[in-house]
Amino acid sequence: MDEHLEDDGQAEDLLRRALLDPEAAAAVALKVHGLALADELTVVFHGRRDLGTIQTYVANGGHGEGEKLGARDLLRVPVDLDLGETHTRAEAQEAYANQARTLRDALQAADTVLAIWAQPLEDVAESYVTLQRSVDLDLPIPAHRLMPIALVAPERHITVVPVVGARTLAEGLPPMGIACAQQDVAHVYPLPDDPESALEDFLVRASDHARHMADRLESQERSVQRFLEINGPDDWPAAG
């Protein structure tokens, strides 16, 4: 099954299942305020016995009890709650609070760093930069996204997004980075990296990739031409 479709189905089902079957599922929302770019995010922790995990979703904006969220509103983020080492209700509540704060800190840190990247991206791209608030992106990212926002330099087709490594929140602050992507070229930089140097490095990578692809296409065309020469009419024009 396509992983993206599977995640969409889980997201679409999330709050509905929690309401219809409270014995087997529960959903808790956590609002994150005062962000530099995202303004406000809502984290939804969703636990279901048949999944065996307490999954994490992030949505743009502030959402409260009774609001309906669809698949296109919820970004699946693989940094899940883990209360398995707790033995009492009080221990579970304390662990939940600590892990929720860890995720909040991660979101705040990534949002701050992304805000710092906005001006260098504009300078390097030599064009305006927009903020895209969406669960979906038009290009693949080589890591898990941390929040449903992205910086986009449309004239250079460069997208910059916060990313995160998959792990439970019980293990502490997850590894984070900033991914730069352009069509079929992408690279992840550590979160504290200097944005100007990272963006310059990425442009070099993108340029090298473009030259490699051009050489590859030329070689493929020459290969086809040679094939036609040796299998076509004797007067077939020879390749240069």
Side-chain angles (χ1 to χ4, degrees), residues 54 81-87 91-97 99 170:
I54 308 168
L81 290 171
D82 183 1
L83 309 179
E85 295 303 313
T86 63
H87 300 92
E91 288 181 359
Q93 288 175 331
E94 182 180 359
Y96 164 73
Q99 292 178 36

Side-chain angles (χ1 to χ4, degrees), residues 3-18 44 46 48 51 55-58 68-76 135:
E3 183 179 351
H4 180 68
L5 293 177
E6 185 177 8
D7 283 348
D8 280 356
Q10 290 176 2
E12 193 72 54
D13 243 11
L14 195 151
L15 295 181
R16 182 178 63 82
R17 280 183 177 270
V44 178
H46 179 245
R48 222 172 67 200
L51 289 178
Q55 296 187 332
T56 302
Y57 297 83
V58 179
K68 186 175 181 181
L69 296 173
R72 298 303 175 190
D73 301 315
L74 293 162
L75 175 70
R76 171 75 173 104
V135 171

Side-chain angles (χ1 to χ4, degrees), residues 17-38:
R17 280 183 177 270
L19 291 173
L20 292 179
D21 192 8
E23 295 297 322
V28 177
L30 167 69
K31 294 181 183 179
V32 183
H33 306 278
L35 298 170
L37 286 182

Side-chain angles (χ1 to χ4, degrees), residues 41-239:
L41 296 171
T42 298
V43 176
V44 178
F45 295 116
H46 179 245
R48 222 172 67 200
R49 283 197 178 95
D50 60 337
L51 289 178
T53 58
I54 308 168
Q55 296 187 332
T56 302
Y57 297 83
V58 179
N60 279 304
H63 302 279
E65 186 178 353
E67 287 192 61
K68 186 175 181 181
L69 296 173
R72 298 303 175 190
D73 301 315
L74 293 162
L75 175 70
R76 171 75 173 104
V77 180
V79 285
D80 298 329
L81 290 171
D82 183 1
L83 309 179
E85 295 303 313
T86 63
H87 300 92
T88 66
R89 182 185 181 91
E91 288 181 359
Q93 288 175 331
E94 182 180 359
Y96 164 73
N98 289 335
Q99 292 178 36
R101 279 195 294 269
T102 296
L103 180 58
R104 180 202 62 193
D105 293 346
L107 291 170
Q108 290 174 336
D111 179 83
T112 299
V113 171
L114 194 63
I116 294 172
W117 276 62
Q119 187 59 54
L121 177 58
E122 187 172 301
D123 294 342
V124 169
E126 298 180 338
S127 70
Y128 68 96
V129 170
T130 63
L131 181 64
Q132 182 176 331
R133 303 175 188 272
S134 176
V135 171
D136 298 314
L137 290 178
D138 295 332
L139 72 174
I141 301 297
H144 302 286
R145 294 176 64 196
L146 178 58
M147 57 179 69
I149 64 171
L151 291 175
V152 179
E155 293 185 11
R156 294 293 295 270
H157 305 288
I158 300 174
T159 298
V160 176
V161 295
V163 293
V164 66
R167 63 186 288 177
T168 70
L169 289 166
E171 298 175 76
L173 197 69
M176 296 182 289
I178 295 291
C180 298
Q182 184 187 59
Q183 296 174 339
D184 54 350
V185 184
H187 189 74
V188 176
Y189 298 90
L191 202 60
D193 252 20
D194 173 58
E196 290 88 351
S197 298
L199 286 165
E200 289 172 2
D201 174 79
F202 179 72
L203 290 181
V204 171
R205 290 173 183 270
S207 178
D208 289 345
H209 178 78
R211 284 195 296 271
H212 173 75
M213 290 303 297
D215 291 344
R216 182 178 176 183
L217 288 173
E218 182 180 350
S219 176
Q220 288 176 340
E221 291 176 1
R222 188 163 54 248
S223 174
V224 172
Q225 179 67 21
R226 295 303 186 201
F227 176 79
L228 294 175
E229 286 177 19
I230 63 176
N231 291 284
D234 291 338
D235 59 351
W236 193 275

